[in-house]
Short mmCIF file of all heavy atoms in Angstrom, two decimals:
data_model
loop_
_atom_site.label_atom_id
_atom_site.label_comp_id
_atom_site.label_asym_id
_atom_site.label_seq_id
_atom_site.Cartn_x
_atom_site.Cartn_y
_atom_site.Cartn_z
N ASN A 86 2.55 -1.36 8.49
CA ASN A 86 2.43 -1.57 9.95
C ASN A 86 3.28 -0.43 10.71
O ASN A 86 2.70 -0.01 11.68
CB ASN A 86 3.02 -2.99 10.21
CG ASN A 86 1.99 -4.03 10.02
OD1 ASN A 86 0.74 -3.85 10.03
ND2 ASN A 86 2.58 -5.25 9.84
N GLU A 87 4.30 -0.17 10.24
CA GLU A 87 5.22 0.94 10.89
C GLU A 87 4.51 2.29 10.86
O GLU A 87 4.60 3.09 11.88
CB GLU A 87 6.59 1.01 10.33
CG GLU A 87 7.45 -0.23 10.68
CD GLU A 87 7.75 -0.40 12.16
OE1 GLU A 87 7.85 0.67 12.76
OE2 GLU A 87 7.82 -1.43 12.58
N SER A 88 3.93 2.56 9.69
CA SER A 88 3.45 3.97 9.55
C SER A 88 1.97 4.06 10.30
O SER A 88 1.76 5.20 10.83
CB SER A 88 3.09 4.22 8.04
OG SER A 88 2.57 5.47 7.79
N PHE A 89 1.24 3.05 10.37
CA PHE A 89 -0.08 3.17 11.09
C PHE A 89 -0.05 2.52 12.48
O PHE A 89 -1.20 2.47 13.08
CB PHE A 89 -1.18 2.54 10.14
CG PHE A 89 -1.45 3.39 8.81
CD1 PHE A 89 -0.87 2.90 7.70
CD2 PHE A 89 -2.37 4.41 8.89
CE1 PHE A 89 -1.18 3.62 6.59
CE2 PHE A 89 -2.63 5.02 7.80
CZ PHE A 89 -1.99 4.74 6.63
N ARG A 90 1.11 2.06 12.96
CA ARG A 90 1.06 1.54 14.36
C ARG A 90 0.75 2.68 15.26
O ARG A 90 1.12 3.76 15.15
CB ARG A 90 2.61 1.02 14.55
CG ARG A 90 2.69 0.31 15.91
CD ARG A 90 4.19 0.06 16.19
NE ARG A 90 4.82 -0.51 15.14
CZ ARG A 90 4.97 -1.83 15.02
NH1 ARG A 90 4.34 -2.71 15.78
NH2 ARG A 90 5.71 -2.57 13.96
N PRO A 91 -0.01 2.29 16.36
CA PRO A 91 -0.64 1.03 16.82
C PRO A 91 -2.11 0.89 16.29
O PRO A 91 -2.81 -0.04 16.80
CB PRO A 91 -0.59 1.05 18.31
CG PRO A 91 -0.84 2.45 18.62
CD PRO A 91 -0.11 3.28 17.39
N ASP A 92 -2.65 1.78 15.47
CA ASP A 92 -4.04 1.83 15.24
C ASP A 92 -4.41 0.70 14.25
O ASP A 92 -5.69 0.17 14.28
CB ASP A 92 -4.42 3.23 14.50
CG ASP A 92 -4.23 4.26 15.63
OD1 ASP A 92 -4.43 4.19 16.75
OD2 ASP A 92 -3.66 5.38 15.05
N TYR A 93 -3.58 0.29 13.47
CA TYR A 93 -4.02 -0.79 12.45
C TYR A 93 -2.83 -1.84 12.32
O TYR A 93 -1.72 -1.59 12.62
CB TYR A 93 -4.26 -0.13 11.02
CG TYR A 93 -5.27 0.92 10.95
CD1 TYR A 93 -4.94 2.26 11.18
CD2 TYR A 93 -6.60 0.45 10.74
CE1 TYR A 93 -6.03 3.13 11.06
CE2 TYR A 93 -7.59 1.41 10.71
CZ TYR A 93 -7.28 2.74 10.92
OH TYR A 93 -8.38 3.70 10.93
N ASP A 94 -3.24 -3.03 11.97
CA ASP A 94 -2.42 -4.15 11.79
C ASP A 94 -2.64 -4.79 10.42
O ASP A 94 -3.75 -5.21 10.13
CB ASP A 94 -2.62 -5.33 12.73
CG ASP A 94 -1.60 -6.47 12.78
OD1 ASP A 94 -0.78 -6.29 11.82
OD2 ASP A 94 -1.74 -7.33 13.47
N PHE A 95 -1.55 -4.79 9.46
CA PHE A 95 -1.74 -5.10 8.13
C PHE A 95 -1.09 -6.53 7.80
O PHE A 95 -1.01 -6.90 6.65
CB PHE A 95 -1.13 -4.08 7.25
CG PHE A 95 -1.78 -2.67 7.27
CD1 PHE A 95 -1.31 -1.84 8.26
CD2 PHE A 95 -2.79 -2.28 6.47
CE1 PHE A 95 -1.91 -0.55 8.27
CE2 PHE A 95 -3.40 -1.10 6.51
CZ PHE A 95 -2.94 -0.22 7.39
N SER A 96 -0.78 -7.31 8.79
CA SER A 96 -0.18 -8.42 8.72
C SER A 96 -0.92 -9.50 7.87
O SER A 96 -0.43 -10.36 7.33
CB SER A 96 0.09 -9.16 10.19
OG SER A 96 0.96 -8.26 10.95
N ALA A 97 -2.31 -9.45 7.89
CA ALA A 97 -3.10 -10.26 6.98
C ALA A 97 -3.17 -9.80 5.55
O ALA A 97 -4.04 -10.39 4.80
CB ALA A 97 -4.40 -10.43 7.77
N ALA A 98 -2.60 -8.66 5.29
CA ALA A 98 -2.75 -8.15 3.85
C ALA A 98 -2.12 -9.14 2.86
O ALA A 98 -1.18 -9.90 3.06
CB ALA A 98 -2.05 -6.88 3.70
N ARG A 99 -2.80 -9.22 1.63
CA ARG A 99 -2.36 -10.13 0.49
C ARG A 99 -1.89 -9.40 -0.71
O ARG A 99 -2.20 -8.19 -0.89
CB ARG A 99 -3.47 -11.09 0.19
CG ARG A 99 -3.78 -12.13 1.37
CD ARG A 99 -2.59 -13.08 1.81
NE ARG A 99 -2.84 -13.90 2.79
CZ ARG A 99 -2.42 -13.69 4.06
NH1 ARG A 99 -1.69 -12.55 4.35
NH2 ARG A 99 -2.65 -14.58 5.04
N ALA A 100 -1.26 -10.05 -1.54
CA ALA A 100 -0.68 -9.38 -2.71
C ALA A 100 -1.82 -8.74 -3.67
O ALA A 100 -1.54 -7.75 -4.20
CB ALA A 100 -0.02 -10.57 -3.61
N HIS A 101 -2.92 -9.29 -3.64
CA HIS A 101 -3.95 -8.63 -4.52
C HIS A 101 -4.44 -7.39 -3.98
O HIS A 101 -5.18 -6.65 -4.82
CB HIS A 101 -5.10 -9.64 -4.60
CG HIS A 101 -5.97 -9.79 -3.47
ND1 HIS A 101 -6.89 -8.97 -2.98
CD2 HIS A 101 -5.91 -10.82 -2.51
CE1 HIS A 101 -7.28 -9.46 -1.85
NE2 HIS A 101 -6.77 -10.61 -1.54
N GLU A 102 -4.04 -6.95 -2.84
CA GLU A 102 -4.41 -5.66 -2.32
C GLU A 102 -3.38 -4.52 -2.71
O GLU A 102 -3.68 -3.32 -2.52
CB GLU A 102 -4.54 -5.77 -0.80
CG GLU A 102 -5.60 -6.59 -0.23
CD GLU A 102 -5.75 -6.65 1.16
OE1 GLU A 102 -6.05 -5.55 1.84
OE2 GLU A 102 -5.36 -7.73 1.85
N PHE A 103 -2.29 -4.98 -3.55
CA PHE A 103 -1.37 -4.06 -3.92
C PHE A 103 -1.39 -3.97 -5.47
O PHE A 103 -1.71 -4.95 -6.25
CB PHE A 103 0.06 -4.48 -3.44
CG PHE A 103 0.23 -4.50 -1.98
CD1 PHE A 103 -0.06 -5.56 -1.19
CD2 PHE A 103 0.58 -3.39 -1.26
CE1 PHE A 103 0.03 -5.46 0.18
CE2 PHE A 103 0.73 -3.21 0.06
CZ PHE A 103 0.35 -4.42 0.85
N SER A 104 -0.78 -3.02 -5.95
CA SER A 104 -0.58 -2.73 -7.52
C SER A 104 0.72 -2.13 -7.69
O SER A 104 1.19 -1.46 -6.92
CB SER A 104 -1.73 -1.89 -7.97
OG SER A 104 -3.00 -2.36 -7.73
N ARG A 105 1.25 -2.54 -8.97
CA ARG A 105 2.50 -1.94 -9.49
C ARG A 105 1.98 -0.86 -10.41
O ARG A 105 1.31 -1.13 -11.36
CB ARG A 105 3.44 -2.89 -10.12
CG ARG A 105 4.82 -2.36 -10.30
CD ARG A 105 5.56 -3.14 -11.38
NE ARG A 105 5.60 -4.44 -11.14
CZ ARG A 105 6.56 -5.08 -10.52
NH1 ARG A 105 7.60 -4.38 -9.99
NH2 ARG A 105 6.52 -6.39 -10.29
N GLU A 106 2.37 0.34 -10.18
CA GLU A 106 1.95 1.45 -10.94
C GLU A 106 2.76 1.49 -12.32
O GLU A 106 3.94 1.17 -12.36
CB GLU A 106 2.14 2.84 -10.32
CG GLU A 106 1.43 2.99 -9.08
CD GLU A 106 -0.15 2.97 -9.39
OE1 GLU A 106 -0.66 3.60 -10.34
OE2 GLU A 106 -0.95 2.32 -8.59
N PRO A 107 2.18 1.82 -13.50
CA PRO A 107 2.69 1.71 -14.81
C PRO A 107 3.93 2.66 -14.97
O PRO A 107 4.75 2.44 -15.60
CB PRO A 107 1.66 2.03 -15.70
CG PRO A 107 0.48 2.83 -14.92
CD PRO A 107 0.79 2.36 -13.51
N SER A 108 3.91 3.86 -14.35
CA SER A 108 5.03 4.76 -14.50
C SER A 108 4.92 6.01 -13.49
O SER A 108 3.87 6.07 -12.79
CB SER A 108 4.92 5.37 -15.99
OG SER A 108 3.75 6.29 -16.04
N LEU A 109 5.98 6.58 -13.31
CA LEU A 109 6.06 7.80 -12.45
C LEU A 109 5.07 8.92 -12.90
O LEU A 109 4.39 9.56 -12.17
CB LEU A 109 7.49 8.33 -12.40
CG LEU A 109 7.57 9.66 -11.61
CD1 LEU A 109 7.16 9.44 -10.20
CD2 LEU A 109 9.05 10.04 -11.69
N ASN A 110 4.94 9.08 -14.24
CA ASN A 110 4.01 10.06 -14.67
C ASN A 110 2.59 9.84 -14.40
O ASN A 110 1.85 10.73 -13.91
CB ASN A 110 4.16 10.20 -16.24
CG ASN A 110 5.37 10.90 -16.72
OD1 ASN A 110 5.87 11.71 -15.91
ND2 ASN A 110 5.85 10.71 -17.86
N TRP A 111 2.27 8.54 -14.32
CA TRP A 111 0.87 8.19 -14.04
C TRP A 111 0.55 8.65 -12.55
O TRP A 111 -0.49 9.06 -12.27
CB TRP A 111 0.64 6.72 -14.22
CG TRP A 111 0.09 6.27 -15.62
CD1 TRP A 111 1.04 5.87 -16.68
CD2 TRP A 111 -1.19 6.43 -16.12
NE1 TRP A 111 0.27 5.64 -17.75
CE2 TRP A 111 -1.04 6.03 -17.48
CE3 TRP A 111 -2.45 6.73 -15.71
CZ2 TRP A 111 -2.15 6.01 -18.35
CZ3 TRP A 111 -3.42 6.73 -16.48
CH2 TRP A 111 -3.28 6.35 -17.82
N VAL A 112 1.46 8.17 -11.65
CA VAL A 112 1.40 8.49 -10.23
C VAL A 112 1.34 10.06 -9.97
O VAL A 112 0.61 10.50 -9.32
CB VAL A 112 2.51 7.72 -9.51
CG1 VAL A 112 2.37 8.20 -8.00
CG2 VAL A 112 2.37 6.29 -9.58
N ALA A 113 2.28 10.62 -10.53
CA ALA A 113 2.44 12.14 -10.34
C ALA A 113 1.17 12.80 -10.80
O ALA A 113 0.63 13.74 -10.16
CB ALA A 113 3.62 12.66 -11.25
N ASN A 114 0.56 12.40 -11.97
CA ASN A 114 -0.68 13.08 -12.48
C ASN A 114 -1.82 12.80 -11.45
O ASN A 114 -2.61 13.64 -11.20
CB ASN A 114 -0.94 12.54 -13.92
CG ASN A 114 0.00 13.06 -14.86
OD1 ASN A 114 0.54 14.14 -14.72
ND2 ASN A 114 0.08 12.41 -15.97
#
């Protein structure tokens, strides 16, 4: 919300829209 304000509102976002990444290496790659 802070990053995309005022163009978007993410208040209705739910947990299933997020993921925990397995490792830093995976993300960096």
Side-chain angles (χ1 to χ4, degrees):
N86 278 335
E87 288 296 324
S88 183
F89 290 97
R90 187 189 306 274
D92 298 321
Y93 299 94
D94 183 3
F95 298 86
S96 301
R99 293 294 179 260
H101 67 82
E102 297 180 66
F103 298 92
S104 305
R105 192 200 308 269
E106 296 299 316
S108 71
L109 174 59
N110 285 338
W111 276 96
V112 173
N114 287 337

